[in-house]
Amino acid sequence: MEAEKYLVRTRALRSQRDVWKQAAVGVLALSITGNIGLYGIACSREARHREETAQLRTELRHVEAVRDDALEELGRMANDYALEAKIRREQAEGYEALGAYQYIGECTITAYCPCAECCGRWADGVTASGLPAGPGIVAVDPDVIPLGSTVVIDGQKYLAADTGSGVTGNHIDVCLSSHGKTVEHGIRTAEVWVATNE
């Protein structure tokens, strides 16, 4: 009887042991699967990180190239500006040495043509002095530049023969042949001289 009980207990223990073995194998398999999955995620993230790093380096190189180009262009512009200022100084000295021109100063230079869009109700093609409006004519403020004066802008001579409601102070409006050219001209600044004895 005791032997039978012993056999029953032994079988029960073996059965329990087998169940625990199967559970342990299942946990081990689950752990291995989880680790493989985590490793795959880590590898994927690392690959994405490498791609993003490479892309950021490419973008950085592009930004640096744009910066270098901008600095080079800025240097060229600074040189051009310095050269232009030197030419203007030399031009001013030449005019003053002749004693034939009065320096007005730096003026705002705009443009107009004798069209309705530029001149409104005064678009009759005749200037304030009675001369035809056209290239070579400028509108001035008579309190600054007398009508009939020869005006020199960037080395180019013009006749002050017109006025305008918006032309006051150090502002000169250059007459051009077409409205398209006036739009293209835009607003500029230039140093201006007026002939004092012609």
Side-chain angles (χ1 to χ4, degrees):
M1 196 68 172
E2 287 296 322
E4 285 179 13
K5 285 183 183 178
Y6 174 77
L7 283 175
V8 168
R9 279 200 305 272
T10 302
R11 284 181 190 150
L13 287 173
R14 284 181 182 165
S15 176
Q16 256 184 342
R17 184 192 64 194
D18 292 341
V19 168
W20 281 105
K21 275 185 183 178
Q22 287 176 354
V25 168
V27 168
L28 180 62
L30 186 61
S31 174
I32 290 170
T33 302
N35 285 337
I36 289 171
L38 288 173
Y39 179 74
I41 291 170
C43 287
S44 175
R45 284 182 180 169
E46 187 179 347
R48 275 201 309 272
H49 177 70
R50 279 197 300 268
E51 287 174 10
E52 288 170 0
T53 301
Q55 185 178 355
L56 287 171
R57 283 180 181 154
T58 301
E59 289 174 4
L60 180 61
R61 281 194 295 271
H62 175 70
V63 167
E64 288 173 344
V66 169
R67 179 205 61 200
D68 292 345
D69 289 346
L71 288 173
E72 189 176 330
E73 181 63 24
L74 186 61
R76 278 197 297 269
M77 288 171 65
N79 287 338
D80 290 347
Y81 181 79
L83 180 61
E84 185 180 338
K86 179 176 179 285
I87 290 169
R88 283 184 176 180
R89 276 195 309 274
E90 290 171 353
Q91 189 179 45
E93 288 166 5
Y95 286 148
E96 287 167 7
L98 291 172
Y101 292 89
Q102 176 191 353
Y103 179 60
I104 300 299
E106 190 170 68
C107 297
T108 300
I109 312 295
T110 55
Y112 75 105
C113 72
C115 74
E117 193 167 348
C118 287
C119 299
R121 63 189 177 96
W122 293 282
D124 56 4
V126 179
T127 65
S129 63
L131 293 173
I137 299 288
V138 292
V140 297
D141 181 347
D143 292 334
V144 178
I145 299 172
L147 287 176
S149 300
T150 298
V151 179
V152 180
I153 306 169
D154 290 331
Q156 180 74 37
K157 289 184 178 182
Y158 299 88
L159 177 63
D162 205 357
T163 60
S165 58
V167 182
T168 57
N170 280 22
H171 177 190
I172 297 175
D173 211 11
V174 179
C175 189
L176 299 177
S177 60
S178 71
H179 189 70
K181 287 183 179 178
T182 68
V183 172
E184 185 180 339
H185 182 281
I187 300 172
R188 306 175 187 177
T189 57
E191 299 194 6
V192 175
W193 288 265
V194 173
T196 55
N197 53 5
E198 285 197 318

